[in-house]
Amino acid sequence: MNVTQTNTSTHAQMRAPETVMRLAQLGSFHQSRLSFMRTLTRRMTQENWTFSRPIFEINDQGVGHAVYCAHTPNRTYSLIAFAHDLPAEKRSDRVIAQAWDSTFTLFDGIPTRDDIIRLQQNVPLQEAGRVTQSELSVSRANRSVRLWEHVVARLAAGQQPDLAEVESVGYLMRTTAVYGSGKLGAADRECLAMRPECAAPFQIEMLSVFLTRSYVRDLAQHMANLRGGEKAVTLDPEIARSMGIGNSTGLGMAPFLVNHPILLNNWIAAREEAIARVRNLPTASADEVETFQNLFARSVLSANIWHSAHPIQIEKLTTLRKDLQSLAMHIEAANLMTDRPWDRLFIWADAHLRPDAVECLASLMLEPYGTLVDPLADQMSDNDAASFRINGAMTVEALNVILTDNYAWAMDIDWTAKAASARAWYVSEEKLEPRLGERFEEPIAEFEQPLAPGRDAAALYEALKEWTPNVPIASFLLAHPEHRHTVRRAQIVDQAPFAEIRDNTIGSDLLPIDMLRCKLSFFGATHFDPRSDRWLRICLFGNAPYPEELQSSASDFWPYPKLEPVHP
Amino acid sequence: MSHSLNEIEALSKRAARGAGLSWGIAEEGARAVRWLASHDLPSGPLLADLLEQTDQVARETLAPLSLDGIWSAASGTLCPLASGATLNDFSDRMSAGQPIEMARVSHPLLVVPFAAWAAIHLGAPIKISWLSVRIITDGYGIWTDDPKNQISETCAASLICGKATRADEILTKPSLRGEIPQADWARLGKLAHRTYAPATEESRVLGAGAGISDND
């Protein structure tokens, strides 16, 4: 567990959890150097990973399989991709879908023929199939019908795709689930935790998506070649690079943040520690300022080309663009080199800008300082099983102090008001899809999942009032096992202050997309595009180098769009 | 069938909740099953037995009534999860050398993981015994002596747990995989199913926020 430590020699401390852990703030997070995609591409570049494609057997109907290998200095990981011919009416991004355009597994090592035969019988079924400890993830992807047909048809006809079409979608396929950590029988994270390339969170899942991007590009080219014959042309590398892998993310990610409090703490604490370190730098060099200014300009561009049709996001984008303009004017006149430049800049931004621009700046300030920031990535996993144990010897009085220190926001809410607990999280029997319902309108309350820590903490605080202060909490729990999960959380939050979302997660005004954006920003996603209040689309690895480009491009700044336009 | 430990824990938690346990005890019971499975000990079948036997029984009648002297339950039989959790909560009592004794515990093997966590907390190996079974654990590894094959007995008249005097046994380390027989997996699945809301057209459309085409 990362306990909040502030270096005594510094001035700026980490921001308070009361500020950072509000949903409006978390829902405004931006990718940073510590995002999991960037940690992966940095490692692949630094360690000179090599890549190969030993199998690509796909017929003219687009059916077959392919294997993509990533060779680290010590081992090989292989993405096994199965290509299917999916009837249009079966294409859906929902968890409840039963068939997909392509299905994948990341294999630990190099698969034999027998492995591939075994996986061919299971991976295309996804949740209805079974994998083993040799498999590290299971995932699937659907085509963007519009862009796929456009790109294949154009290439087949000897032309490059239309840039406006490419930009408006951004990807040829989108993943609709990437399962890791033991799902469907795959290897548990504990099996891999000791490998240095798995020290940061979600590295296996990110590697799977990174290799999927190569497969998707190759498959589109393959289909264009088959269709166009000699007329077909090769996709321009610049256009190819602009395309990432889309991703549809639904409600499953929101409970994840609540169910993994220490992991959430470690992600936020690492980024907050990085921000504090940079704010405490006494000066900045001309090179560092130039890096910042260049990436700031690219962030402004990124905000301008970020599109969404959702009213909430449209409003957020308008605010973000306006605030970035104000920030640009401020930066033009500001001294960015001496007298704690980043701290002064951040204090100004915090006072004058809304959360989206503040978080954008916070991430940008980290960019010139890889040496200071990047090692924090290895502290972002949760390797602390011991925190699960309740400290039964803690007194009622001590627990009360923790509750008043960390859950005052929850005690201020009138939980008897219908609006405060209007929603309930539940799991549907249909493929166990996580859902959010209206507690007072649907028969779901009896199926409610424990995803309202604020309400539960307030109830615990009430129940404790009857108890003598010096009694051990163990005695209280023997009489009140219904508060056990809440006592555990409170004790975790006492050690890990960023472990709890400090907002109502069941209120009528809850926007689950805030929770999704927080998690996806740590993946490294940009251009969040909500499609409702509870699911959104993003793009992963857009503008990232392809495997064969990692060494030549040598740029860690790929998430920021280039200032000069792409042209074939 | 070979399962990942995460799968085992996830299903066990849902099954325990489905059988009416509090979330907190369900979480710990699921961790306990994971711990036993990682040591290749009977786990899923024991949990399924326990949950089926105590289904609809008021949980408070299965927990220790008083912590003075020998622990016992109002119903006559202690639940190993409720008493295991209490044992772990009060584990400081064992640090002074005072053992904890329980009368009539069902599925006593399920108490062992809780004693294991107490061992980690105390930084000292713990010994648990019932019938002819002797188990020592430092929290991670385990040593078992089970001359009469009584490790998965459904009930022990007496269970004693305290600091181990000898710690020279060679402890077996856990593995990263577990085996749960298919039939027991299905029994747990049936209990877990109670926690899933029935699918309705309304929830299918609204609950996950669809409504806009996701096929573009």
PDB file of all heavy atoms in Angstrom, chain A residues 152-164:
ATOM      1  N   VAL A 152     -11.217  -0.814 -46.842  1.00  0.00           N
ATOM      2  CA  VAL A 152     -10.961  -1.982 -47.694  1.00  0.00           C
ATOM      3  C   VAL A 152     -11.313  -1.657 -49.147  1.00  0.00           C
ATOM      4  O   VAL A 152     -10.544  -1.963 -50.066  1.00  0.00           O
ATOM      5  CB  VAL A 152     -11.749  -3.215 -47.174  1.00  0.00           C
ATOM      6  CG1 VAL A 152     -11.657  -4.373 -48.160  1.00  0.00           C
ATOM      7  CG2 VAL A 152     -11.208  -3.642 -45.808  1.00  0.00           C
ATOM      8  N   ALA A 153     -12.450  -0.987 -49.353  1.00  0.00           N
ATOM      9  CA  ALA A 153     -12.873  -0.674 -50.724  1.00  0.00           C
ATOM     10  C   ALA A 153     -11.879   0.276 -51.397  1.00  0.00           C
ATOM     11  O   ALA A 153     -11.503   0.086 -52.554  1.00  0.00           O
ATOM     12  CB  ALA A 153     -14.272  -0.064 -50.709  1.00  0.00           C
ATOM     13  N   ARG A 154     -11.454   1.287 -50.664  1.00  0.00           N
ATOM     14  CA  ARG A 154     -10.508   2.251 -51.235  1.00  0.00           C
ATOM     15  C   ARG A 154      -9.190   1.588 -51.601  1.00  0.00           C
ATOM     16  O   ARG A 154      -8.678   1.778 -52.697  1.00  0.00           O
ATOM     17  CB  ARG A 154     -10.242   3.384 -50.235  1.00  0.00           C
ATOM     18  CG  ARG A 154     -11.332   4.444 -50.177  1.00  0.00           C
ATOM     19  CD  ARG A 154     -11.265   5.320 -51.425  1.00  0.00           C
ATOM     20  NE  ARG A 154     -12.137   6.464 -51.326  1.00  0.00           N
ATOM     21  CZ  ARG A 154     -11.709   7.731 -51.166  1.00  0.00           C
ATOM     22  NH1 ARG A 154     -10.436   8.003 -51.097  1.00  0.00           N
ATOM     23  NH2 ARG A 154     -12.569   8.718 -51.084  1.00  0.00           N
ATOM     24  N   LEU A 155      -8.632   0.853 -50.653  1.00  0.00           N
ATOM     25  CA  LEU A 155      -7.335   0.206 -50.910  1.00  0.00           C
ATOM     26  C   LEU A 155      -7.460  -0.771 -52.087  1.00  0.00           C
ATOM     27  O   LEU A 155      -6.573  -0.840 -52.945  1.00  0.00           O
ATOM     28  CB  LEU A 155      -6.827  -0.525 -49.666  1.00  0.00           C
ATOM     29  CG  LEU A 155      -6.466   0.337 -48.458  1.00  0.00           C
ATOM     30  CD1 LEU A 155      -6.034  -0.540 -47.282  1.00  0.00           C
ATOM     31  CD2 LEU A 155      -5.364   1.352 -48.780  1.00  0.00           C
ATOM     32  N   ALA A 156      -8.580  -1.494 -52.132  1.00  0.00           N
ATOM     33  CA  ALA A 156      -8.782  -2.472 -53.213  1.00  0.00           C
ATOM     34  C   ALA A 156      -8.836  -1.761 -54.566  1.00  0.00           C
ATOM     35  O   ALA A 156      -8.382  -2.287 -55.574  1.00  0.00           O
ATOM     36  CB  ALA A 156     -10.056  -3.262 -52.969  1.00  0.00           C
ATOM     37  N   ALA A 157      -9.370  -0.536 -54.544  1.00  0.00           N
ATOM     38  CA  ALA A 157      -9.509   0.217 -55.789  1.00  0.00           C
ATOM     39  C   ALA A 157      -8.242   1.020 -56.119  1.00  0.00           C
ATOM     40  O   ALA A 157      -8.223   1.795 -57.069  1.00  0.00           O
ATOM     41  CB  ALA A 157     -10.704   1.154 -55.689  1.00  0.00           C
ATOM     42  N   GLY A 158      -7.224   0.860 -55.315  1.00  0.00           N
ATOM     43  CA  GLY A 158      -5.968   1.540 -55.606  1.00  0.00           C
ATOM     44  C   GLY A 158      -5.867   2.936 -55.032  1.00  0.00           C
ATOM     45  O   GLY A 158      -5.031   3.729 -55.433  1.00  0.00           O
ATOM     46  N   GLN A 159      -6.750   3.269 -54.072  1.00  0.00           N
ATOM     47  CA  GLN A 159      -6.719   4.622 -53.480  1.00  0.00           C
ATOM     48  C   GLN A 159      -6.513   4.541 -51.973  1.00  0.00           C
ATOM     49  O   GLN A 159      -6.882   3.538 -51.347  1.00  0.00           O
ATOM     50  CB  GLN A 159      -8.062   5.316 -53.706  1.00  0.00           C
ATOM     51  CG  GLN A 159      -8.398   5.563 -55.138  1.00  0.00           C
ATOM     52  CD  GLN A 159      -9.845   6.054 -55.228  1.00  0.00           C
ATOM     53  OE1 GLN A 159     -10.777   5.374 -54.786  1.00  0.00           O
ATOM     54  NE2 GLN A 159     -10.008   7.239 -55.788  1.00  0.00           N
ATOM     55  N   GLN A 160      -5.997   5.642 -51.426  1.00  0.00           N
ATOM     56  CA  GLN A 160      -5.896   5.717 -49.970  1.00  0.00           C
ATOM     57  C   GLN A 160      -7.265   6.123 -49.405  1.00  0.00           C
ATOM     58  O   GLN A 160      -8.051   6.773 -50.088  1.00  0.00           O
ATOM     59  CB  GLN A 160      -4.836   6.749 -49.554  1.00  0.00           C
ATOM     60  CG  GLN A 160      -3.408   6.310 -49.880  1.00  0.00           C
ATOM     61  CD  GLN A 160      -3.001   5.030 -49.135  1.00  0.00           C
ATOM     62  OE1 GLN A 160      -3.449   4.782 -48.018  1.00  0.00           O
ATOM     63  NE2 GLN A 160      -2.173   4.197 -49.785  1.00  0.00           N
ATOM     64  N   PRO A 161      -7.558   5.731 -48.157  1.00  0.00           N
ATOM     65  CA  PRO A 161      -8.840   6.142 -47.573  1.00  0.00           C
ATOM     66  C   PRO A 161      -8.937   7.648 -47.398  1.00  0.00           C
ATOM     67  O   PRO A 161      -7.925   8.341 -47.325  1.00  0.00           O
ATOM     68  CB  PRO A 161      -8.861   5.430 -46.218  1.00  0.00           C
ATOM     69  CG  PRO A 161      -7.508   4.864 -45.994  1.00  0.00           C
ATOM     70  CD  PRO A 161      -6.775   4.859 -47.293  1.00  0.00           C
ATOM     71  N   ASP A 162     -10.164   8.131 -47.333  1.00  0.00           N
ATOM     72  CA  ASP A 162     -10.425   9.549 -47.142  1.00  0.00           C
ATOM     73  C   ASP A 162     -10.082   9.927 -45.697  1.00  0.00           C
ATOM     74  O   ASP A 162     -10.566   9.292 -44.752  1.00  0.00           O
ATOM     75  CB  ASP A 162     -11.913   9.811 -47.423  1.00  0.00           C
ATOM     76  CG  ASP A 162     -12.263  11.254 -47.240  1.00  0.00           C
ATOM     77  OD1 ASP A 162     -11.752  12.073 -48.021  1.00  0.00           O
ATOM     78  OD2 ASP A 162     -13.022  11.562 -46.296  1.00  0.00           O
ATOM     79  N   LEU A 163      -9.250  10.969 -45.549  1.00  0.00           N
ATOM     80  CA  LEU A 163      -8.773  11.311 -44.202  1.00  0.00           C
ATOM     81  C   LEU A 163      -9.892  11.717 -43.262  1.00  0.00           C
ATOM     82  O   LEU A 163      -9.871  11.400 -42.068  1.00  0.00           O
ATOM     83  CB  LEU A 163      -7.750  12.441 -44.290  1.00  0.00           C
ATOM     84  CG  LEU A 163      -6.377  12.031 -44.821  1.00  0.00           C
ATOM     85  CD1 LEU A 163      -5.460  13.241 -44.897  1.00  0.00           C
ATOM     86  CD2 LEU A 163      -5.766  10.959 -43.939  1.00  0.00           C
ATOM     87  N   ALA A 164     -10.882  12.409 -43.801  1.00  0.00           N
ATOM     88  CA  ALA A 164     -11.992  12.845 -42.940  1.00  0.00           C
ATOM     89  C   ALA A 164     -12.744  11.628 -42.399  1.00  0.00           C
ATOM     90  O   ALA A 164     -13.167  11.607 -41.238  1.00  0.00           O
ATOM     91  CB  ALA A 164     -12.928  13.763 -43.733  1.00  0.00           C
TER      92      ALA A 164
END
